[in-house]
Amino acid sequence: QVQLVESGGGSVQAGGSLRLSCVASGLTFSRYAMGWFRQAPGKEREFVGGISRLDGSTDYVNSVKGRFTISRDRTKDTVYLQMNSLKPEDTAVYYCVADRAWPIRTVDWWGQGTQVTVSS
């Protein structure tokens, strides 16, 4: 049974930082690109960023470039999303994803989501 379990969400003031973690189980971590999506209230779910399974290449949506960083720890089957200089428009539920393809297109597995709230 594949599980992606996110943690690290919470409430922070604008300009602050949070680090999300996602622990993967039930799959061969090294065979998957990993990434993050988010969904704000009343908006469609959008891709935030991803990291490849092989060489650690990363990809980000333009709105978070320079502020968010994705990394993965193969020894812990964990992917991280470091979020700095947070803005109120970053408020959303953040979902961890796993995809056998790179760049991430058709997601194979989704986490349950973790809420991030940024106040002004």
Side-chain angles (χ1 to χ4, degrees), residues 24-111:
S25 61
L27 53 75
T28 303
F29 188 70
S30 61
R31 294 182 180 177
Y32 286 82
M34 301 296 295
W36 295 87
F37 280 67
R38 67 185 179 185
Q39 187 167 22
K43 295 188 177 181
E44 293 188 354
R45 195 171 295 187
E46 68 167 348
F47 172 77
V48 176
I51 185 167
S52 69
R53 65 184 179 91
L54 292 176
D55 62 4
S57 299
T58 55
D59 184 28
Y60 300 94
V61 66
N62 285 339
S63 60
V64 308
K65 285 181 179 177
R67 300 189 298 122
F68 290 12
T69 303
I70 292 176
S71 60
R72 63 190 294 164
D73 185 338
R74 299 178 189 279
T75 67
K76 297 180 180 179
D77 289 356
T78 300
V79 61
Y80 303 98
L81 180 65
Q82 178 67 46
M83 305 185 293
N84 299 327
S85 302
L86 282 160
K87 304 175 181 180
E89 51 263 44
D90 294 318
T91 294
V93 177
Y94 283 71
Y95 298 89
C96 177
V97 300
D99 192 334
R100 283 170 289 186
W102 177 258
I104 291 174
R105 293 189 180 93
T106 304
V107 173
D108 293 297
W109 303 103
W110 292 84

Coordinates of all heavy atoms in Angstrom, one line a residue, residues 24-111:
A24 N 7.5 8.8 2.1 CA 6.9 7.8 1.2 C 7.1 6.4 1.7 O 8.2 6.1 2.2 CB 7.5 8.0 -0.2
S25 N 6.1 5.6 1.5 CA 6.2 4.2 1.8 C 5.4 3.4 0.9 O 4.5 3.9 0.2 CB 5.8 3.9 3.3 OG 4.4 4.3 3.4
G26 N 5.8 2.1 0.7 CA 5.0 1.2 -0.2 C 5.4 1.4 -1.6 O 4.8 0.7 -2.5
L27 N 6.4 2.2 -1.9 CA 6.9 2.3 -3.3 C 8.5 2.3 -3.2 O 9.1 2.6 -2.2 CB 6.4 3.5 -4.0 CG 6.5 4.9 -3.3 CD1 7.9 5.5 -3.4 CD2 5.5 5.9 -4.0
T28 N 9.1 2.1 -4.4 CA 10.5 2.2 -4.5 C 10.9 3.7 -4.8 O 10.7 4.2 -5.9 CB 11.1 1.3 -5.6 OG1 10.7 0.0 -5.4 CG2 12.6 1.4 -5.6
F29 N 11.3 4.4 -3.7 CA 11.4 5.8 -3.7 C 12.3 6.3 -4.9 O 12.1 7.3 -5.5 CB 12.0 6.3 -2.4 CG 12.0 7.8 -2.2 CD1 10.9 8.5 -2.0 CD2 13.3 8.4 -2.1 CE1 10.9 9.8 -1.8 CE2 13.3 9.8 -1.9 CZ 12.1 10.5 -1.8
S30 N 13.4 5.5 -5.2 CA 14.4 6.0 -6.2 C 13.8 5.9 -7.6 O 14.4 6.4 -8.5 CB 15.6 5.1 -6.1 OG 15.3 3.8 -6.3
R31 N 12.7 5.2 -7.8 CA 12.1 5.1 -9.1 C 11.1 6.2 -9.4 O 10.5 6.2 -10.5 CB 11.4 3.7 -9.2 CG 12.4 2.6 -9.2 CD 11.7 1.3 -9.4 NE 12.6 0.1 -9.4 CZ 12.3 -1.1 -9.4 NH1 11.0 -1.5 -9.6 NH2 13.2 -2.1 -9.4
Y32 N 10.9 7.1 -8.5 CA 9.9 8.1 -8.7 C 10.4 9.5 -8.6 O 11.2 9.8 -7.7 CB 8.8 8.0 -7.6 CG 7.9 6.8 -7.8 CD1 8.2 5.6 -7.4 CD2 6.6 7.0 -8.5 CE1 7.4 4.5 -7.7 CE2 5.8 5.9 -8.7 CZ 6.2 4.7 -8.3 OH 5.4 3.6 -8.5
A33 N 10.0 10.4 -9.5 CA 10.1 11.8 -9.3 C 9.1 12.2 -8.2 O 8.0 11.6 -8.1 CB 9.8 12.6 -10.6
M34 N 9.5 13.2 -7.4 CA 8.6 13.6 -6.3 C 8.3 15.1 -6.5 O 9.1 15.9 -7.1 CB 9.3 13.4 -5.0 CG 9.7 11.9 -4.7 SD 8.3 10.8 -4.6 CE 7.5 11.5 -3.1
G35 N 7.2 15.5 -6.0 CA 6.9 16.9 -6.1 C 5.8 17.4 -5.2 O 5.3 16.6 -4.3
W36 N 5.4 18.6 -5.4 CA 4.3 19.2 -4.6 C 3.3 20.0 -5.5 O 3.7 20.7 -6.4 CB 5.0 20.2 -3.6 CG 5.9 19.5 -2.6 CD1 7.2 19.3 -2.7 CD2 5.5 19.1 -1.3 NE1 7.7 18.6 -1.6 CE2 6.6 18.5 -0.7 CE3 4.3 19.0 -0.6 CZ2 6.6 17.9 0.6 CZ3 4.3 18.5 0.7 CH2 5.4 17.9 1.2
F37 N 2.1 19.8 -5.1 CA 1.0 20.6 -5.7 C 0.4 21.4 -4.6 O 0.6 21.1 -3.4 CB 0.0 19.7 -6.4 CG 0.3 19.2 -7.7 CD1 1.4 18.3 -7.9 CD2 -0.4 19.7 -8.9 CE1 1.7 17.9 -9.2 CE2 -0.1 19.2 -10.1 CZ 1.0 18.3 -10.3
R38 N -0.4 22.4 -4.9 CA -1.2 23.1 -3.9 C -2.6 23.5 -4.5 O -2.7 23.6 -5.7 CB -0.5 24.3 -3.4 CG -0.3 25.4 -4.4 CD 0.6 26.5 -3.8 NE 0.8 27.6 -4.8 CZ 1.6 28.6 -4.6 NH1 2.3 28.8 -3.4 NH2 1.8 29.6 -5.5
Q39 N -3.5 23.6 -3.5 CA -4.8 24.1 -3.9 C -5.3 25.1 -2.9 O -5.5 24.8 -1.7 CB -5.8 22.9 -4.0 CG -7.2 23.3 -4.6 CD -8.0 22.1 -5.0 OE1 -7.8 21.0 -4.5 NE2 -9.0 22.4 -5.9
A40 N -5.6 26.3 -3.4 CA -6.1 27.4 -2.6 C -7.6 27.4 -2.6 O -8.2 26.8 -3.6 CB -5.6 28.7 -3.0
P41 N -8.3 27.9 -1.6 CA -9.8 27.9 -1.7 C -10.3 28.6 -2.9 O -9.9 29.7 -3.3 CB -10.1 28.8 -0.4 CG -8.9 28.6 0.5 CD -7.7 28.5 -0.4
G42 N -11.2 27.9 -3.6 CA -11.8 28.4 -4.8 C -11.0 28.4 -6.0 O -11.4 28.9 -7.1
K43 N -9.8 27.8 -5.9 CA -8.9 27.7 -7.1 C -8.6 26.3 -7.5 O -8.8 25.4 -6.7 CB -7.6 28.5 -6.8 CG -7.8 30.0 -6.6 CD -6.5 30.7 -6.5 CE -6.6 32.2 -6.3 NZ -5.3 32.9 -6.3
E44 N -8.1 26.1 -8.7 CA -7.7 24.8 -9.1 C -6.4 24.4 -8.5 O -5.6 25.2 -8.2 CB -7.6 24.8 -10.7 CG -8.9 25.0 -11.4 CD -8.8 24.8 -12.9 OE1 -7.7 24.6 -13.4 OE2 -9.8 24.8 -13.6
R45 N -6.2 23.1 -8.4 CA -4.9 22.6 -7.9 C -3.8 22.9 -8.9 O -4.0 22.8 -10.1 CB -5.0 21.1 -7.8 CG -3.9 20.5 -6.9 CD -4.2 19.0 -6.6 NE -5.4 18.9 -5.8 CZ -5.8 17.7 -5.3 NH1 -5.1 16.6 -5.6 NH2 -6.9 17.6 -4.5
E46 N -2.7 23.4 -8.4 CA -1.6 23.8 -9.3 C -0.3 23.1 -8.9 O 0.0 22.9 -7.7 CB -1.4 25.3 -9.3 CG -0.9 25.9 -8.1 CD -0.4 27.3 -8.2 OE1 -0.3 27.8 -9.4 OE2 -0.2 28.0 -7.2
F47 N 0.5 22.9 -9.9 CA 1.9 22.3 -9.6 C 2.7 23.4 -9.0 O 2.7 24.6 -9.4 CB 2.5 21.9 -11.0 CG 3.9 21.5 -10.9 CD1 4.3 20.3 -10.4 CD2 4.9 22.4 -11.4 CE1 5.6 19.9 -10.4 CE2 6.2 22.0 -11.3 CZ 6.6 20.8 -10.8
V48 N 3.5 23.0 -7.9 CA 4.4 23.9 -7.2 C 5.8 23.7 -7.7 O 6.5 24.6 -8.1 CB 4.2 23.8 -5.7 CG1 5.3 24.7 -5.0 CG2 2.8 24.2 -5.3
G49 N 6.2 22.4 -7.6 CA 7.6 22.1 -7.9 C 7.8 20.6 -7.9 O 7.0 19.9 -7.3
G50 N 8.9 20.2 -8.5 CA 9.3 18.8 -8.5 C 10.8 18.5 -8.5 O 11.5 19.4 -8.8
I51 N 11.2 17.3 -8.2 CA 12.6 16.9 -8.2 C 12.7 15.6 -8.9 O 11.9 14.7 -8.6 CB 13.2 16.9 -6.8 CG1 14.7 16.6 -6.9 CG2 12.5 16.0 -5.9 CD1 15.4 16.9 -5.6
S52 N 13.6 15.4 -9.8 CA 13.7 14.2 -10.6 C 14.2 13.1 -9.7 O 14.8 13.3 -8.6 CB 14.7 14.4 -11.8 OG 16.0 14.6 -11.3
R53 N 14.0 11.8 -10.2 CA 14.4 10.7 -9.5 C 15.9 10.4 -9.6 O 16.5 9.7 -8.7 CB 13.6 9.5 -9.9 CG 13.9 9.0 -11.3 CD 13.0 7.9 -11.7 NE 13.2 7.4 -13.1 CZ 14.0 6.5 -13.5 NH1 14.7 5.9 -12.5 NH2 14.1 6.2 -14.7
L54 N 16.6 10.8 -10.7 CA 17.9 10.4 -10.9 C 19.0 11.5 -10.5 O 19.7 11.3 -9.6 CB 18.1 10.1 -12.4 CG 17.4 8.8 -12.9 CD1 17.5 8.6 -14.4 CD2 17.9 7.6 -12.1
D55 N 19.0 12.7 -11.2 CA 20.0 13.6 -11.0 C 19.7 14.8 -10.2 O 20.5 15.7 -10.0 CB 20.5 14.1 -12.4 CG 19.5 14.9 -13.2 OD1 18.4 15.1 -12.6 OD2 19.7 15.3 -14.3
G56 N 18.5 14.7 -9.6 CA 18.1 15.8 -8.7 C 17.7 17.1 -9.4 O 17.6 18.2 -8.7
S57 N 17.4 17.0 -10.7 CA 16.9 18.2 -11.4 C 15.6 18.7 -10.7 O 14.8 17.9 -10.3 CB 16.7 17.9 -12.8 OG 17.9 17.5 -13.5
T58 N 15.5 20.0 -10.7 CA 14.2 20.5 -10.1 C 13.5 21.4 -11.1 O 14.1 21.9 -12.0 CB 14.6 21.4 -8.8 OG1 15.5 22.4 -9.1 CG2 15.1 20.5 -7.7
D59 N 12.2 21.6 -10.8 CA 11.4 22.4 -11.6 C 10.4 23.1 -10.7 O 9.9 22.5 -9.8 CB 10.7 21.5 -12.7 CG 9.8 22.3 -13.6 OD1 10.1 23.5 -13.9 OD2 8.8 21.8 -14.1
Y60 N 10.1 24.4 -11.0 CA 9.2 25.1 -10.1 C 8.3 26.0 -10.9 O 8.6 26.5 -12.0 CB 10.0 26.1 -9.2 CG 11.0 25.4 -8.3 CD1 12.3 25.3 -8.6 CD2 10.6 24.9 -7.0 CE1 13.2 24.7 -7.8 CE2 11.5 24.3 -6.2 CZ 12.8 24.2 -6.6 OH 13.7 23.6 -5.7
V61 N 7.1 26.2 -10.4 CA 6.2 27.2 -11.0 C 6.8 28.6 -10.8 O 7.5 28.8 -9.8 CB 4.8 27.1 -10.3 CG1 4.8 27.6 -8.9 CG2 3.8 27.9 -11.1
N62 N 6.6 29.5 -11.7 CA 7.3 30.8 -11.7 C 7.1 31.6 -10.4 O 7.9 32.2 -9.9 CB 6.9 31.7 -12.9 CG 7.5 31.2 -14.2 OD1 8.5 30.5 -14.2 ND2 6.9 31.5 -15.3
S63 N 5.9 31.4 -9.8 CA 5.5 32.2 -8.6 C 6.3 31.9 -7.4 O 6.3 32.7 -6.4 CB 4.0 32.1 -8.4 OG 3.7 30.7 -8.1
V64 N 7.0 30.7 -7.4 CA 7.7 30.3 -6.2 C 9.2 30.3 -6.4 O 10.0 30.0 -5.5 CB 7.2 29.0 -5.6 CG1 5.7 29.0 -5.4 CG2 7.7 27.8 -6.5
K65 N 9.7 30.5 -7.6 CA 11.1 30.4 -7.9 C 11.9 31.4 -7.1 O 11.5 32.6 -7.0 CB 11.3 30.7 -9.4 CG 11.0 29.5 -10.3 CD 11.2 29.8 -11.8 CE 10.9 28.6 -12.7 NZ 11.1 28.9 -14.1
G66 N 13.0 31.0 -6.5 CA 13.8 31.8 -5.7 C 13.3 31.9 -4.3 O 14.0 32.4 -3.4
R67 N 12.1 31.3 -4.0 CA 11.6 31.3 -2.6 C 11.5 29.9 -2.1 O 11.7 29.7 -0.9 CB 10.3 32.0 -2.5 CG 10.3 33.5 -3.0 CD 8.9 34.1 -2.7 NE 7.8 33.5 -3.4 CZ 6.7 33.0 -2.8 NH1 6.6 33.1 -1.5 NH2 5.8 32.5 -3.5
F68 N 11.1 29.0 -2.9 CA 10.9 27.6 -2.5 C 12.0 26.7 -3.0 O 12.5 26.9 -4.1 CB 9.6 27.0 -3.0 CG 8.3 27.6 -2.4 CD1 8.4 28.8 -1.6 CD2 7.1 27.1 -2.6 CE1 7.2 29.3 -1.0 CE2 5.9 27.6 -2.1 CZ 6.0 28.7 -1.3
T69 N 12.4 25.7 -2.2 CA 13.4 24.7 -2.6 C 12.9 23.3 -2.3 O 12.5 23.0 -1.2 CB 14.7 25.0 -1.9 OG1 15.1 26.3 -2.2 CG2 15.8 24.0 -2.4
I70 N 13.0 22.4 -3.3 CA 12.7 21.0 -3.1 C 14.0 20.2 -3.0 O 14.9 20.4 -3.7 CB 11.9 20.5 -4.3 CG1 10.5 21.1 -4.3 CG2 11.7 19.0 -4.2 CD1 9.6 20.7 -5.4
S71 N 14.0 19.3 -2.1 CA 15.1 18.4 -1.9 C 14.6 17.0 -1.5 O 13.4 16.8 -1.1 CB 16.1 18.9 -0.9 OG 15.5 19.0 0.4
R72 N 15.4 16.0 -1.7 CA 15.0 14.6 -1.3 C 16.1 13.9 -0.6 O 17.3 14.1 -0.9 CB 14.5 13.8 -2.6 CG 15.6 13.6 -3.6 CD 14.9 13.0 -4.9 NE 14.3 11.7 -4.7 CZ 13.4 11.1 -5.5 NH1 13.1 11.8 -6.6 NH2 13.0 9.9 -5.3
D73 N 15.7 13.1 0.3 CA 16.7 12.3 1.1 C 16.4 10.8 0.8 O 15.4 10.3 1.3 CB 16.6 12.6 2.6 CG 17.6 11.9 3.4 OD1 18.2 10.9 3.0 OD2 17.9 12.4 4.5
R74 N 17.3 10.2 0.0 CA 17.0 8.8 -0.4 C 17.2 7.8 0.8 O 16.6 6.7 0.8 CB 18.0 8.4 -1.5 CG 17.8 9.3 -2.7 CD 18.8 8.9 -3.8 NE 18.8 9.8 -4.9 CZ 17.9 9.8 -5.9 NH1 16.9 8.9 -5.9 NH2 17.9 10.7 -6.9
T75 N 17.9 8.2 1.8 CA 18.1 7.3 3.0 C 16.9 7.3 3.8 O 16.7 6.4 4.6 CB 19.3 7.8 3.8 OG1 19.0 9.0 4.4 CG2 20.6 7.9 3.0
K76 N 16.0 8.3 3.7 CA 14.8 8.4 4.5 C 13.5 8.3 3.7 O 12.4 8.5 4.3 CB 14.8 9.7 5.3 CG 16.0 9.9 6.3 CD 15.9 11.2 7.0 CE 17.1 11.3 8.0 NZ 17.0 12.6 8.8
D77 N 13.6 8.1 2.4 CA 12.5 8.1 1.5 C 11.6 9.3 1.7 O 10.4 9.2 1.8 CB 11.7 6.8 1.7 CG 12.4 5.6 1.1 OD1 13.5 5.8 0.5 OD2 11.9 4.5 1.3
T78 N 12.2 10.5 1.8 CA 11.5 11.7 2.2 C 11.9 12.8 1.2 O 13.0 12.9 0.8 CB 11.9 12.1 3.6 OG1 11.6 11.1 4.5 CG2 11.2 13.4 4.0
V79 N 10.9 13.6 0.9 CA 11.0 14.8 0.1 C 10.6 16.0 0.9 O 9.7 15.9 1.7 CB 10.2 14.7 -1.2 CG1 8.8 14.6 -1.0 CG2 10.5 15.9 -2.2
Y80 N 11.3 17.1 0.7 CA 11.1 18.3 1.5 C 10.7 19.5 0.6 O 11.1 19.5 -0.6 CB 12.3 18.7 2.3 CG 12.8 17.6 3.2 CD1 13.9 16.8 2.8 CD2 12.3 17.4 4.5 CE1 14.4 15.8 3.6 CE2 12.7 16.4 5.3 CZ 13.8 15.6 4.9 OH 14.2 14.6 5.7
L81 N 10.0 20.4 1.1 CA 9.7 21.6 0.4 C 10.0 22.8 1.4 O 9.2 23.0 2.4 CB 8.2 21.7 0.0 CG 7.9 23.0 -0.8 CD1 8.6 23.1 -2.1 CD2 6.3 23.1 -1.0
Q82 N 11.1 23.4 1.2 CA 11.5 24.6 2.0 C 10.9 25.8 1.4 O 11.1 26.1 0.3 CB 13.0 24.7 2.1 CG 13.5 25.9 2.9 CD 13.2 25.8 4.4 OE1 13.4 24.8 5.0 NE2 12.7 26.9 5.0
M83 N 10.1 26.5 2.2 CA 9.3 27.7 1.7 C 9.8 28.9 2.5 O 9.6 28.9 3.7 CB 7.8 27.4 1.9 CG 7.3 26.2 1.2 SD 5.5 26.0 1.3 CE 5.3 25.8 3.0
N84 N 10.4 29.8 1.8 CA 10.9 31.0 2.5 C 10.1 32.2 1.9 O 9.5 32.1 0.8 CB 12.4 31.2 2.2 CG 13.2 30.1 2.8 OD1 12.8 29.5 3.9 ND2 14.3 29.8 2.2
S85 N 10.2 33.4 2.6 CA 9.6 34.6 2.1 C 8.1 34.3 1.7 O 7.6 34.8 0.7 CB 10.3 35.2 0.9 OG 11.7 35.4 1.3
L86 N 7.4 33.7 2.6 CA 6.0 33.3 2.3 C 5.1 34.5 2.2 O 5.3 35.5 2.8 CB 5.5 32.4 3.4 CG 6.0 30.9 3.3 CD1 5.9 30.2 4.6 CD2 5.3 30.2 2.2
K87 N 4.2 34.4 1.3 CA 3.2 35.4 1.0 C 1.8 34.9 1.3 O 1.5 33.7 1.2 CB 3.3 35.8 -0.5 CG 4.7 36.2 -0.9 CD 4.7 36.5 -2.4 CE 6.1 36.9 -2.9 NZ 6.1 37.2 -4.4
P88 N 0.9 35.8 1.5 CA -0.5 35.4 1.8 C -1.1 34.5 0.6 O -1.8 33.6 0.8 CB -1.3 36.7 1.9 CG -0.3 37.6 2.5 CD 1.0 37.2 1.8
E89 N -0.6 34.8 -0.6 CA -1.1 34.0 -1.8 C -0.5 32.6 -1.8 O -0.9 31.8 -2.7 CB -0.8 34.8 -3.1 CG 0.6 35.2 -3.2 CD 0.8 36.7 -2.8 OE1 0.3 37.1 -1.8 OE2 1.5 37.4 -3.6
D90 N 0.4 32.3 -0.9 CA 0.9 30.9 -0.8 C -0.1 30.0 0.1 O 0.1 28.8 0.2 CB 2.3 30.9 -0.2 CG 3.3 31.5 -1.1 OD1 3.3 31.3 -2.3 OD2 4.2 32.3 -0.5
T91 N -1.1 30.7 0.7 CA -2.0 29.9 1.5 C -2.7 28.9 0.7 O -3.3 29.2 -0.4 CB -3.0 30.9 2.1 OG1 -2.3 31.7 3.1 CG2 -4.1 30.1 2.9
A92 N -2.7 27.6 1.1 CA -3.3 26.5 0.3 C -3.1 25.2 1.1 O -2.3 25.2 2.1 CB -2.6 26.4 -1.1
V93 N -3.7 24.2 0.6 CA -3.4 22.8 1.0 C -2.3 22.3 0.1 O -2.5 22.4 -1.1 CB -4.6 21.9 1.0 CG1 -4.2 20.5 1.4 CG2 -5.7 22.4 1.9
Y94 N -1.2 21.9 0.7 CA -0.1 21.4 -0.1 C -0.1 19.9 -0.1 O -0.2 19.2 0.9 CB 1.2 21.9 0.5 CG 1.4 23.3 0.1 CD1 0.7 24.4 0.7 CD2 2.4 23.7 -0.8 CE1 0.9 25.7 0.4 CE2 2.6 25.0 -1.1 CZ 1.8 26.0 -0.5 OH 2.0 27.3 -0.9
Y95 N 0.0 19.3 -1.4 CA 0.0 17.9 -1.6 C 1.3 17.4 -2.1 O 1.9 17.9 -3.1 CB -1.1 17.5 -2.6 CG -2.5 17.9 -2.1 CD1 -3.0 19.1 -2.5 CD2 -3.3 17.0 -1.4 CE1 -4.3 19.5 -2.1 CE2 -4.6 17.3 -1.1 CZ -5.1 18.5 -1.4 OH -6.3 18.9 -1.0
C96 N 1.8 16.3 -1.5 CA 3.0 15.6 -2.0 C 2.5 14.6 -3.1 O 1.5 14.0 -2.9 CB 3.6 14.9 -0.8 SG 5.0 13.8 -1.2
V97 N 3.4 14.5 -4.1 CA 3.0 13.6 -5.2 C 4.3 12.8 -5.6 O 5.4 13.2 -5.4 CB 2.5 14.3 -6.4 CG1 1.2 15.1 -6.1 CG2 3.6 15.3 -7.0
A98 N 4.0 11.6 -6.2 CA 5.0 10.8 -6.8 C 4.6 10.5 -8.2 O 3.5 10.2 -8.5 CB 5.2 9.5 -6.0
D99 N 5.6 10.5 -9.1 CA 5.4 10.3 -10.5 C 6.5 9.5 -11.1 O 7.7 9.9 -10.9 CB 5.2 11.7 -11.2 CG 4.7 11.6 -12.6 OD1 4.9 10.5 -13.3 OD2 4.1 12.6 -13.1
R100 N 6.2 8.5 -11.9 CA 7.3 7.7 -12.5 C 8.0 8.5 -13.7 O 9.0 8.1 -14.1 CB 6.8 6.4 -13.0 CG 6.6 5.4 -11.9 CD 5.8 4.2 -12.4 NE 4.4 4.5 -12.6 CZ 3.5 3.6 -12.9 NH1 3.8 2.3 -13.1 NH2 2.2 4.0 -13.1
A101 N 7.3 9.5 -14.2 CA 7.8 10.3 -15.3 C 8.5 11.6 -14.8 O 8.1 12.1 -13.7 CB 6.7 10.6 -16.3
W102 N 9.3 12.1 -15.6 CA 9.9 13.4 -15.4 C 10.0 14.2 -16.7 O 10.5 13.6 -17.7 CB 11.3 13.3 -14.8 CG 12.0 14.7 -14.5 CD1 12.9 15.2 -15.3 CD2 11.6 15.6 -13.5 NE1 13.3 16.4 -14.8 CE2 12.5 16.7 -13.7 CE3 10.7 15.6 -12.5 CZ2 12.4 17.9 -12.9 CZ3 10.7 16.8 -11.6 CH2 11.6 17.9 -11.9
P103 N 9.6 15.4 -16.7 CA 9.0 16.2 -15.7 C 7.6 15.6 -15.2 O 7.0 14.8 -15.9 CB 8.7 17.6 -16.4 CG 9.7 17.6 -17.5 CD 9.8 16.2 -18.0
I104 N 7.2 16.0 -14.1 CA 6.0 15.5 -13.5 C 4.8 15.9 -14.4 O 4.6 17.1 -14.7 CB 5.8 16.0 -12.1 CG1 6.8 15.3 -11.2 CG2 4.4 15.7 -11.6 CD1 6.8 15.8 -9.8
R105 N 4.0 14.9 -14.8 CA 2.9 15.2 -15.7 C 1.6 14.5 -15.1 O 0.7 15.2 -14.6 CB 3.1 14.8 -17.1 CG 4.2 15.6 -17.9 CD 4.2 15.2 -19.3 NE 5.2 15.9 -20.1 CZ 6.4 15.5 -20.3 NH1 6.8 14.3 -19.8 NH2 7.3 16.2 -21.0
T106 N 1.6 13.2 -15.2 CA 0.5 12.4 -14.7 C 0.9 11.8 -13.4 O 1.7 10.9 -13.4 CB 0.1 11.3 -15.7 OG1 -0.1 11.9 -17.0 CG2 -1.1 10.6 -15.3
V107 N 0.4 12.3 -12.3 CA 0.8 11.9 -11.0 C 0.3 10.5 -10.7 O -0.9 10.2 -11.0 CB 0.2 12.9 -10.0 CG1 0.4 12.4 -8.6 CG2 0.8 14.3 -10.2
D108 N 1.2 9.7 -10.2 CA 0.8 8.3 -9.8 C 0.2 8.2 -8.4 O -0.7 7.4 -8.2 CB 2.0 7.4 -10.0 CG 2.5 7.2 -11.4 OD1 1.7 6.7 -12.2 OD2 3.6 7.7 -11.7
W109 N 0.7 9.0 -7.5 CA 0.3 8.9 -6.1 C 0.2 10.3 -5.5 O 1.1 11.1 -5.8 CB 1.3 8.0 -5.3 CG 1.4 6.6 -5.9 CD1 2.5 6.2 -6.6 CD2 0.5 5.6 -5.7 NE1 2.3 4.9 -6.9 CE2 1.0 4.5 -6.4 CE3 -0.8 5.4 -5.1 CZ2 0.4 3.2 -6.5 CZ3 -1.4 4.2 -5.2 CH2 -0.8 3.1 -5.9
W110 N -0.8 10.4 -4.7 CA -1.0 11.7 -4.0 C -1.0 11.5 -2.4 O -1.5 10.4 -2.0 CB -2.4 12.3 -4.3 CG -2.5 12.8 -5.7 CD1 -2.9 12.0 -6.8 CD2 -2.4 14.1 -6.2 NE1 -2.9 12.8 -7.9 CE2 -2.6 14.1 -7.6 CE3 -2.1 15.3 -5.6 CZ2 -2.6 15.3 -8.4 CZ3 -2.1 16.5 -6.3 CH2 -2.3 16.4 -7.7
G111 N -0.5 12.5 -1.7 CA -0.7 12.5 -0.3 C -2.0 13.1 0.1 O -2.8 13.5 -0.8

